[in-house]
Amino acid sequence: MDTKTFRTYGHAIVDWIADYMNHIEEYPVLAQVEPGQIADQLPKTPPGESEEMEAILSDFKRIVLPGMTHWQHPSFFAYFPANTSAPSVLAEFLTAALGAQCMVWQTSPAATELEEVVMDWLRGMLGLPEGFSGVIQDTASTSTLCALVCARERATSFAINKHGFQRGSTQRLIVYTSEEAHSSVEKGVKIAGFGKDNLRLIPTGADFAMIPEELEKSVDADKKDGHLPCCVVATVGTTSSTAIDPLRPIGEICNRHQVWLHVDAAMAGTAAILPEMRRILDGVEFADSFVFNPHKWMFTNFDCSAYFCKDPKALTSTFEILPEYLKTDVDRRVKNFRDWGIPLGRRFRALKLWFVIRSFGIKGLQDKVRGHIELAREFESWIREDPRFEIMAPVTINLVCFRYHPSHHTFTEEELERINKDLMDELNRSGSMFITHTKLKGRLALRLCIGQTNTTREHVQKAWERLQASANRL
Ligand code: PLP
């Protein structure tokens, strides 16, 4: 493609994106297609000859778009958000155009130094301790895996890096997390070689947060059995209900037993940019590592996961590899982020974070996030006032867990599960909103999470009216 054609289609695509942003509410939030429906419309083999951009774009609109779930729709209330914003999209254009491989300082000094600066901005914005150093990873899953591998190496004086699990020690390394932790912890435990048998799922209380006394009991029991407690993964904002594990008592336990503390605040961490929400991170100074995703709730398009650690040496000693072809003259004077994570190749993710923080300003980000939290509280109040519904978990931040359960009716748990699942499916099939479900202590709960960039009170109110209308028909 020559630059003349590129310019023509570049303008056309920007126009299309701006129209998409303006008219996104005309699309169904959840893709209304059956499995295989998209693939059936695509040729089985790639084209031998060049195709016109006109035809490619036309197929994008005709085939691909109907198969998209519109995460940027303001009535997207499912899972956790993966929100974005215009400045983030613009920065991604530039990142794609620069096409830089930001693995070491020399391969793009600005990428490394901008990453250092924006991560330090973020650290300050969240009120994380001054000594924490930041690096951008692709996802929270990768960040947690990094933490687990670092914990493993610190606990064994880098013996596993050197000898692997093949040789020697019969002492088992144990990882602890709550029964409500995200599945990425179990995945990380498996990949890092701990083995699922060595993951302890600590019970939670009525608020679905880890019970610190149960954690200490488990650590003591493992020590008694000759095992080596290695890492605790605490969650600030669990996926099912945004429960907040109490970091201070958990941190004190980790400190006493010299166990690595990793904090997974994948979505909820963003709330800490509000002074009134900083309490969710009380005790974070005990953490050895901490992750939150600007790609969830900070208007920065996927992927962008902010990983902070107390001792970057633990990270670089674990991941450092220095083949001759990557050595540079400035290695001693700069950060080479390739040693701060798993992949060698790194995208220039700091650029979009820089665009977003500058374009919104701290106040703009705070206003949006505060607005989402207020809307969640209002939605909670509507649920509480209607005797046909009940709240299923404390509303700590921007997620409301609830279900249809009329107080005057006696339903079995199975009946409630079916009714609520049907209610959710009907709403999602309508294309007008999208919510998801979870199980809390074995009971099905519907989840409505408010975090899409352009969600307003009107969207939440409409969701509530649709829910009520569906309930009226039951
Ligand atoms: N941790 C928590 C608490 C989450 O809710 C999620 C995803 O929703 C993750 C980790 C995984 O995030 P990622 O997709 O960035 O790996």
Side-chain angles (χ1 to χ4, degrees):
M1 185 184 289
D2 57 31
T3 49
K4 186 165 174 279
T5 317
F6 173 81
R7 197 182 298 277
T8 304
Y9 284 101
H11 284 293
I13 287 175
V14 169
D15 283 343
W16 185 87
I17 294 173
D19 288 341
Y20 176 70
M21 288 168 168
N22 282 338
H23 296 283
I24 192 163
E25 293 188 55
E26 291 165 19
Y27 295 88
V29 192
L30 177 66
Q32 310 282 307
V33 294
E34 293 299 321
Q37 193 176 319
I38 305 301
D40 284 348
Q41 298 175 72
L42 298 167
K44 298 281 171 277
T45 52
E49 302 289 330
S50 166
E51 291 194 74
E52 289 298 326
M53 192 44 63
E54 202 63 46
I56 301 172
L57 269 180
S58 156
D59 284 350
F60 163 74
K61 292 174 198 164
R62 189 175 58 86
I63 304 173
V64 177
L65 209 53
M68 294 306 295
T69 288
H70 296 279
W71 285 68
Q72 306 314 318
H73 193 300
S75 295
F76 183 100
F77 302 112
Y79 309 108
F80 276 167
N83 63 25
T84 185
S85 59
S88 181
V89 174
L90 291 177
E92 276 290 42
F93 284 0
L94 298 175
T95 296
L98 293 168
Q101 250 291 1
C102 307
M103 52 195 177
V104 298
W105 181 88
Q106 177 176 274
T107 59
S108 272
T112 298
E113 295 186 15
L114 192 63
E115 184 161 335
E116 288 180 61
V117 169
V118 288
M119 289 304 282
D120 208 49
W121 285 4
L122 270 190
R123 186 195 53 67
M125 286 163 63
L126 266 68
L128 295 173
E130 290 230 340
F132 278 25
S133 307
V135 56
I136 304 178
Q137 311 279 4
D138 54 6
T139 59
S141 303
T142 301
S143 296
T144 294
L145 176 59
C146 286
L148 287 166
V149 177
C150 289
R152 186 191 77 185
E153 291 312 306
R154 189 177 77 177
T156 59
S157 306
F158 298 90
I160 296 172
N161 255 4
K162 187 146 189 258
H163 309 299
F165 280 106
Q166 320 285 359
R167 209 188 74 176
S169 171
T170 50
Q171 199 178 32
R172 283 161 58 175
L173 299 173
I174 311 293
V175 176
Y176 307 81
T177 198
S178 95
E179 58 191 3
E180 289 290 324
H182 188 260
S183 55
S184 54
V185 180
E186 183 183 322
K187 201 185 234 183
V189 160
K190 290 199 259 186
I191 299 170
F194 291 93
K196 203 177 147 189
D197 289 350
N198 300 310
L199 175 64
R200 307 276 183 259
L201 297 181
I202 306 300
T204 56
D207 58 356
F208 306 99
M210 188 193 288
I211 303 171
E213 294 75 20
E214 293 289 340
L215 169 66
E216 187 143 43
K217 256 198 251 168
S218 191
V219 169
D220 284 339
D222 281 321
K223 279 183 150 177
K224 228 163 140 202
D225 289 344
H227 305 325
L228 184 58
C230 176
C231 182
V232 172
V233 181
T235 314
V236 171
T238 58
T239 315
S240 280
S241 71
T242 51
I244 294 164
D245 291 345
L247 297 186
R248 186 164 296 284
I250 292 171
E252 283 165 357
I253 293 166
C254 291
N255 207 20
R256 259 199 304 282
H257 296 273
Q258 298 194 334
V259 173
W260 185 287
L261 173 60
H262 174 62
V263 177
D264 173 4
M267 179 198 64
T270 299
I273 65 172
L274 302 177
E276 69 271 26
M277 292 301 292
R278 285 271 167 85
R279 60 188 150 74
I280 64 173
L281 299 187
D282 179 51
V284 73
E285 64 275 16
F286 287 106
D288 293 285
S289 52
F290 173 93
V291 62
F292 94 102
N293 286 346
H295 74 222
K296 277 191 162 53
W297 194 22
M298 224 187 81
F299 321 107
T300 309
N301 68 278
F302 189 87
D303 52 352
C304 185
S305 182
Y307 180 83
F308 292 92
C309 57
K310 191 177 268 172
D311 175 18
K313 195 88 187 80
L315 199 61
T316 51
S317 304
T318 300
F319 291 112
E320 191 173 55
I321 296 280
L322 194 51
E324 188 56 39
Y325 48 80
L326 289 178
K327 285 181 185 161
T328 70
D329 292 341
V330 290
D331 283 346
R332 283 221 196 99
R333 293 165 45 208
V334 297
K335 277 185 187 163
N336 286 321
F337 277 127
R338 65 143 201 253
D339 294 331
W340 290 57
I342 295 167
L344 169 64
R346 309 184 74 251
R347 287 177 7 87
F348 187 6
R349 300 188 186 90
L351 192 68
K352 59 189 170 188
L353 209 43
W354 190 55
F355 269 45
V356 167
I357 297 172
R358 291 187 62 183
S359 177
F360 277 81
I362 294 178
K363 182 166 180 314
L365 295 170
Q366 287 174 331
D367 288 349
K368 279 264 175 218
V369 170
R370 190 177 282 122
H372 290 158
I373 295 173
E374 282 167 4
L375 287 175
R377 293 215 183 103
E378 193 165 11
F379 183 78
E380 178 194 9
S381 73
W382 297 335
I383 294 276
R384 285 193 189 281
E385 281 160 19
D386 189 328
R388 295 172 302 170
F389 290 91
E390 66 177 339
I391 290 288
M392 301 291 286
V395 178
T396 59
I397 306 177
N398 60 336
L399 169 69
V400 184
C401 292
F402 65 98
R403 68 177 177 178
Y404 174 80
H405 186 186
S407 44
H408 58 277
H409 246 297
T410 43
F411 286 114
T412 64
E413 277 303 317
E414 287 75 38
E415 284 169 332
L416 282 173
E417 188 163 330
R418 187 186 44 74
I419 295 169
N420 278 282
K421 180 87 179 24
D422 288 349
L423 193 66
M424 175 179 82
D425 289 344
E426 182 193 315
L427 288 166
N428 291 345
R429 256 197 319 271
S430 76
S432 55
M433 59 186 278
F434 184 22
I435 54 173
T436 46
H437 75 282
T438 190
K439 284 238 173 123
L440 292 167
K441 308 250 186 234
R443 299 186 308 169
L444 187 118
L446 304 180
R447 301 167 70 267
L448 184 135
C449 188
I450 300 170
Q452 202 288 318
T453 312
N454 298 311
T455 299
T456 63
R457 187 171 188 276
E458 197 189 325
H459 298 102
V460 180
Q461 198 164 15
K462 271 211 186 111
W464 173 230
E465 283 163 13
R466 286 180 182 120
L467 248 167
Q468 285 182 306
S470 294
N472 287 343
R473 287 195 289 277
L474 287 170

